C-alpha cells in the first residue's frame, strides 16, 4: 500500500484531490446542519422520534429528561428557555425547582399526555402550582379532559409574577413547581408523560402600565370566509404549523390533536372557528364533545376553549370574543382577558375525540380552521431586558410575513390573499410536512454537492 510522503515539517503531504474532497465534505456537513434545523418542521403530524407508539403527541426534540421529586428535597431545577420531559404516576405529586430573580415574571407550562388507550373520567386532569420556600402558593391552575373522556394533551400553567397582589412572591430565590394528578379512582393507573417549559418575562422600564384597558370590542366576530387552503396541523407545541389570517383545511382522524400557531402582535384581536364537515349518508347517533379547540398564549397558558358534540352533520365551534393583545390585560379579572397579555405566537389545539369513531367510523373527517386578525400592529411595552428564550413576546419580520399572507380585512368576514411567493410556498410545504425529511436531505445534499464540485473546478 502506498503512503503519502512526509513533508519537511513532518506532516504527510496531501494529494492533489485533497482540497476538492475537503471542500465537498464541508459542504455536506453544512447541508446536514441546515437540514437538521428543518427536521422538526418536516415531522409535525404524527408519532416520530420524539413520540412513542402509545402517544400521538410530538415532544420537543431538545427536551431533556428530568425526574420529578416526591418532595421539595431533591427537586431538580428547571432552567428558563429549556424544554423538559418527565412523567406523572397515578394519584401522585411531583416537585421541580425554580431559581428566580426579583425582577422577572416566570411562567412554567406543563403538558400532560396520557396513553391513547387510557380510560379517563370528566374529572381527570392535572393541577399545577408554584410555591415559594415558605409554602405560600403564588399561583395555581388546572386542566381536565372534558366529558368525552378522550385522551389528548392538556396543559396547565404555573406562574410567579411580580405584582402588588402577590408581594410574598416578589423576592428572588427558590420556588417550587408542584404537579399533581386529579380525578377519580376509575382512571387507568399508568403514568402520564409530561412536557415542561419555563419562560421568563422582564419587567418594564420605568413605572409602566398598571391597569387594564377600560373597554374593547366584545362583539361576536364574523368568521372569515373564502377558499380553504390545505394546512396540516402539527402534533405538538414544538411543531405547531404556522398560520396567519385565512381559512385552512385538513383531514383528521379520531383521537388526534392538531396544533397551529398564529403570530398576534400588540393591538391585534384574534378570532378563530373550527368546523367539522358532514359525513354524508343517513347517519344517526351523537358523539359528545366530539370537537374541542383550545387557545393558548405564548407561554402556553390557556386563554379560551370551546367544544361541540357531533351528529354527523357539519358543525362550527367558534371561540368567544377576545380582547386585543395589550400588556395591561394582565390586570383584568376575567381570565380570558388576563391571558391576552403578550404579543407573540398564540397556539390553537384542535382535538377530535375518539368517541366519534364509535358512531361515525374512523374517518378521516374534514376539519376547517378559520383564523382572523383584526387591527393593526402597535408598539409594545418598553421591556427592561430580554425574555428567555429570546423574542417570545416579540414578532420578527419573518413572523409577521406569516400573518401577512392574508392581510385585507374588509369588515364583512372576507379577506384578500397576498404574499404568496415562492418563499411562502416552500415554508408551507415544510411546515405542513408535505416534504419528507429524507427527500429534503437528498435534495439539499444534491444541490450543495453540485455547487461544491463546481467551486472546486473553478479553483
Amino acid at each position: 500500500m502506498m503512503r503519502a510522503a512526509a513533508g519537511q515539517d513532518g506532516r504527510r503531504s496531501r494529494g492533489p484531490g485533497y482540497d476538492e474532497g475537503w471542500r465537498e465534505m464541508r459542504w455536506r456537513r453544512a447541508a446536514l446542519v441546515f437540514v437538521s434545523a428543518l427536521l422538526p418542521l418536516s415531522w409535525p403530524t404524527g408519532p416520530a422520534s420524539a413520540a412513542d407508539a402509545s402517544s400521538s403527541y410530538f415532544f420537543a426534540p431538545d427536551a431533556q429528561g428530568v425526574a420529578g421529586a416526591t418532595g421539595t428535597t431533591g427537586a431538580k431545577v428547571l432552567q428558563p428557555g429549556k424544554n423538559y420531559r418527565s412523567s406523572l404516576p397515578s394519584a401522585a405529586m411531583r416537585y421541580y425547582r425554580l431559581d428566580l430573580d426579583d425582577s422577572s415574571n416566570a411562567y412554567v407550562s406543563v403538558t400532560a399526555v396520557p396513553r391513547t388507550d387510557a380510560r379517563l373520567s370528566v374529572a381527570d386532569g392535572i393541577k399545577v402550582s408554584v410555591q415559594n420556600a415558605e409554602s405560600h402558593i403564588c399561583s395555581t391552575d388546572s386542566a381536565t379532559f372534558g366529558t368525552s373522556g378522550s385522551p389528548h394533551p392538556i396543559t396547565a400553567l404555573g406562574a410567579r409574577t411580580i405584582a402588588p397582589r402577590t408581594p410574598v412572591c416578589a423576592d428572588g430565590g427558590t420556588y417550587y413547581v408542584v404537579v399533581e394528578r386529579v380525578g377519580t379512582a376509575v382512571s387507568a393507573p399508568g403514568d402520564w408523560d409530561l412536557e415542561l417549559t419555563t419562560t421568563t418575562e422582564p419587567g418594564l422600564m420605568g413605572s409602566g402600565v398598571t391597569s387594564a384597558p377600560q373597554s374593547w370590542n366584545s362583539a361576536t366576530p364574523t368568521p372569515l370566509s373564502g377558499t380553504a387552503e390545505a394546512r396540516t396541523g402539527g402534533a405538538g407545541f414544538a411543531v405547531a404549523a404556522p398560520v396567519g389570517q385565512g381559512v385552512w383545511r385538513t383531514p383528521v382522524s379520531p383521537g388526534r390533536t392538531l396544533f397551529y400557531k398564529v403570530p398576534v402582535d400588540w393591538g391585534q384581536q384574534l378570532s378563530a372557528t373550527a368546523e367539522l364537515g358532514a359525513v354524508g349518508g343517513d347517519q344517526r347517533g351523537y358523539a359528545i364533545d366530539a370537537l374541542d379547540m383550545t387557545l393558548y398564549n405564548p407561554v402556553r397558558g390557556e386563554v379560551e376553549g370551546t367544544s361541540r358534540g357531533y351528529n354527523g352533520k357539519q358543525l362550527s365551534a367558534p371561540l368567544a370574543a377576545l380582547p386585543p393583545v395589550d400588556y395591561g390585560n394582565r390586570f383584568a379579572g376575567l381570565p380570558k382577558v388576563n391571558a391576552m397579555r403578550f404579543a407573540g405566537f398564540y397556539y390553537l389545539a384542535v382535538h377530535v375525540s375518539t368517541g366519534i369513531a364509535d358512531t361515525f367510523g374512523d374517518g378521516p373527517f374534514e376539519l376547517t380552521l378559520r383564523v382572523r386578525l383584526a387591527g393593526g400592529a402597535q408598539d409594545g411595552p418598553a421591556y427592561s431586558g430580554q425574555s428567555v428564550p429570546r423574542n417570545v413576546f416579540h414578532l420578527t419580520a419573518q413572523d409577521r410575513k406569516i400573518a401577512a399572507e392574508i392581510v385585507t380585512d374588509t369588515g364583512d368576514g372576507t379577506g384578500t390573499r397576498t404574499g404568496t411567493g415562492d418563499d411562502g410556498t416552500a415554508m408551507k410545504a415544510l411546515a405542513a410536512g408535505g416534504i419528507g425529511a429524507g427527500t429534503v436531505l437528498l435534495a439539499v445534499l444534491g444541490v450543495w454537492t453540485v455547487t461544491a464540485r463546481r467551486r472546486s473546478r473553478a479553483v
Side-chain angles (χ1 to χ4, degrees):
M1 180 182 296
M2 296 183 61
R3 295 181 181 274
Q8 293 182 353
D9 60 356
R11 292 177 296 180
R12 288 191 175 93
S13 63
R14 293 154 178 163
Y18 177 85
D19 289 338
E20 288 81 359
W22 176 244
R23 290 190 187 95
E24 182 169 333
M25 183 173 69
R26 285 190 298 176
W27 278 97
R28 286 177 177 268
R29 285 180 177 175
L32 288 172
V33 171
F34 175 77
V35 172
S36 67
L38 295 180
L39 289 183
L41 290 176
S42 48
W43 291 335
T45 57
S49 61
D52 57 38
S54 65
S55 169
S56 62
Y57 184 80
F58 192 102
F59 290 83
D62 62 349
Q64 302 177 14
V66 59
T70 56
T72 55
T73 302
K76 300 294 192 301
V77 66
L78 302 179
Q79 296 286 352
K82 293 187 177 181
N83 298 302
Y84 296 90
R85 185 168 178 173
S86 191
S87 62
L88 184 63
S90 178
M93 183 181 294
R94 291 292 181 262
Y95 289 78
Y96 307 87
R97 194 176 89 239
L98 299 173
D99 293 332
L100 304 178
D101 60 27
D102 60 357
S103 61
S104 301
N105 297 324
Y107 306 92
V108 182
S109 72
V110 182
T111 299
V113 186
R115 291 179 58 93
T116 55
D117 58 356
R119 293 176 54 209
L120 302 169
S121 73
V122 64
D124 286 329
I126 58 170
K127 179 181 177 181
V128 177
S129 61
V130 174
Q131 304 175 8
N132 67 8
E134 298 295 328
S135 299
H136 181 88
I137 297 177
C138 306
S139 74
T140 184
D141 187 30
S142 61
T144 59
F145 296 98
T147 55
S148 69
S150 179
H152 64 283
I154 57 173
T155 302
L157 184 73
R160 192 294 300 263
T161 57
I162 299 175
R165 64 176 179 271
T166 55
V168 295
C169 294
D171 296 333
T174 298
Y175 290 79
Y176 296 97
V177 180
V178 186
V179 184
E180 57 184 303
R181 279 174 63 163
V182 296
T184 64
V186 301
S187 301
D191 291 3
W192 293 349
D193 287 331
L194 299 179
E195 181 176 72
L196 301 97
T197 67
T198 302
T199 304
T200 60
E201 178 194 27
L204 298 184
M205 297 176 60
S207 58
V209 182
T210 59
S211 62
Q214 295 300 309
S215 63
W216 51 276
N217 181 13
S218 59
T220 302
T222 302
L224 195 74
S225 61
T227 303
E229 295 192 37
R231 181 65 59 89
T232 302
F237 283 105
V239 287
V243 294
Q245 178 169 286
V247 184
W248 316 95
R249 61 176 174 81
T250 185
V252 60
S253 300
R256 295 294 304 278
T257 302
L258 302 181
F259 288 78
Y260 297 87
K261 61 179 183 179
V262 186
V264 187
D265 220 326
W266 299 103
Q268 291 189 309
Q269 193 170 15
L270 170 67
S271 63
T273 299
E275 298 173 356
L276 204 59
V279 295
D282 185 20
Q283 298 290 340
R284 297 180 182 275
Y286 186 78
I288 191 170
D289 281 357
L291 178 64
D292 181 277
M293 180 169 66
T294 306
L295 175 67
Y296 298 94
N297 65 21
V299 296
R300 305 185 186 180
E302 182 175 339
V303 179
E304 180 73 352
T306 181
S307 61
R308 291 287 306 276
Y310 186 63
N311 63 0
K313 300 178 181 179
Q314 66 270 19
L315 66 86
S316 175
L319 292 175
L322 299 169
V325 171
D326 191 291
Y327 185 90
N329 286 338
R330 66 191 61 210
F331 302 109
L334 194 62
K336 72 174 184 178
V337 177
N338 184 283
M340 298 295 292
R341 60 172 64 191
F342 316 108
F345 279 107
Y346 281 72
Y347 298 89
L348 288 165
V350 185
H351 176 70
V352 175
S353 74
T354 55
I356 198 173
D358 296 336
T359 304
F360 303 105
D362 294 331
F365 299 85
E366 191 69 19
L367 174 69
T368 301
L369 184 64
R370 302 181 186 275
V371 177
R372 185 171 184 173
L373 289 168
Q378 300 176 2
D379 291 336
Y383 281 117
S384 61
Q386 181 59 259
S387 65
V388 181
R390 293 179 62 86
N391 295 327
V392 174
F393 314 117
H394 171 74
L395 292 177
T396 65
Q398 182 61 38
D399 298 335
R400 291 187 176 91
K401 183 178 179 181
I402 296 172
E405 288 184 346
I406 295 181
V407 296
T408 304
D409 188 349
T410 63
D412 60 359
T414 62
T416 301
R417 182 168 178 75
T418 60
T420 55
D422 293 339
D423 291 343
T425 302
M427 284 303 296
K428 285 184 196 177
L430 288 173
I435 299 178
T439 304
V440 175
L441 178 60
L442 290 175
V444 173
L445 285 177
V447 172
W448 283 5
T449 297
V450 170
T451 304
R453 288 174 177 170
R454 287 177 177 174
R455 285 173 178 259
S456 297
R457 287 198 294 270
V459 174

